[in-house]
Amino acid sequence: MLTRVLKAMILNSATYAEVADDNEATIDAAFLIIIYILAATIPNAVNATFSWVMIALTIPLALIEWLVFAGLTCVFAERLFHGEGTLPGNYRAMGFSVSPGIFYLLAAIPTAGICISGLLSLYIFVANIIATRAAMKVGTVGAIVSVLLASTVAGLLLGCLAVPLILILGPENLINNMEQF
C-alpha cells in the first residue's frame, strides 16, 4: 500500500487506474480517507478551535462525503462524458487521491499553516481530477467538469444536512454540547 500511496502523492495516473481496478484496495482507500480527515482536523484541536468529540464526528462524515463525492463524480463522468469506469473503482481512486492530505498536519505551524492548507487543497483537487480521469476513463476536460460539478453538488447536499442540526441546536449549544463530552 505504501508504494501506491507514494505514487498517488506524485500524481501517477497509472497508479489511480491500478487502484480503480483492484477490488482489494477499497479498505485501503477508506483508511486513507480517515488518515486524511484526522490530519486535517488535529491541528484545529491542538489550536483549541475543535473539540476531540468534533474530530470523532468528522470521521463518519468524511466517509459519507467520500461516498457522495466519488459517486457524483462517477455519475457526471459517465453521463456527460461517457466514462467507462465503475463506481467502486472511482471510490478507490478518490480515496487514494487524498493521500497528500497527511501533510495537513503541517497546518498547525503558525502563519505558514494557512498557506500549507491552501496549497494542499489545490494539490488534492488536481489529484481528484487525475484520479477521475484514470478511474472513469475520460479526458482531462471531462474529469475537471465532473470534479467541479460533484464538488458543488456534494457541498450543497452536505451543507443542507448540516443546517438543520445547527438550527435545531443553535451554534452556541452545538459547540457547548460537544465540549461537555
Side-chain angles (χ1 to χ4, degrees), residues 80-122:
L80 300 177
F81 301 100
H82 310 291
E84 298 175 3
T86 65
L87 181 58
N90 202 45
Y91 284 144
R92 292 186 287 273
M94 287 300 189
F96 274 77
S97 74
V98 300
S99 58
I102 187 71
F103 295 109
Y104 273 116
L105 288 171
L106 299 174
I109 298 170
T111 309
I114 294 170
C115 293
I116 291 168
S117 292
L119 290 172
L120 277 171
S121 295
L122 180 62

Side-chain angles (χ1 to χ4, degrees), residues 29-177:
F31 178 72
L32 288 170
I33 294 292
I34 292 168
I35 295 297
Y36 157 72
I37 200 63
L38 287 174
T41 55
I42 286 174
N44 293 319
V46 170
N47 294 328
T49 57
F50 259 39
S51 71
W52 289 102
V53 172
M54 192 64 102
I55 289 174
L57 290 174
T58 60
I59 293 172
L61 292 174
L63 291 169
I64 291 168
E65 193 264 339
W66 167 50
L67 297 174
V68 170
F69 175 68
L72 288 169
T73 304
C74 181
V75 168
F76 291 129
E78 193 175 85
R79 301 281 187 229
L80 300 177
F81 301 100
H82 310 291
E84 298 175 3
T86 65
L87 181 58
N90 202 45
Y91 284 144
R92 292 186 287 273
M94 287 300 189
F96 274 77
S97 74
V98 300
S99 58
I102 187 71
F103 295 109
Y104 273 116
L105 288 171
L106 299 174
I109 298 170
T111 309
I114 294 170
C115 293
I116 291 168
S117 292
L119 290 172
L120 277 171
S121 295
L122 180 62
Y123 195 84
I124 290 171
F125 175 74
V126 171
N128 285 329
I129 292 167
I130 293 169
T132 300
R133 191 178 64 196
M136 295 306 299
K137 299 168 183 70
V138 295
T140 302
V141 171
I144 291 169
V145 171
S146 297
V147 168
L148 285 173
L149 287 172
S151 296
T152 303
V153 174
L156 289 171
L157 285 174
L158 297 174
C160 288
L161 293 175
V163 168
L165 181 63
I166 293 169
L167 290 176
I168 290 169
L169 296 176
E172 305 84 23
N173 291 334
L174 183 62
I175 291 168
N176 290 336
N177 288 334

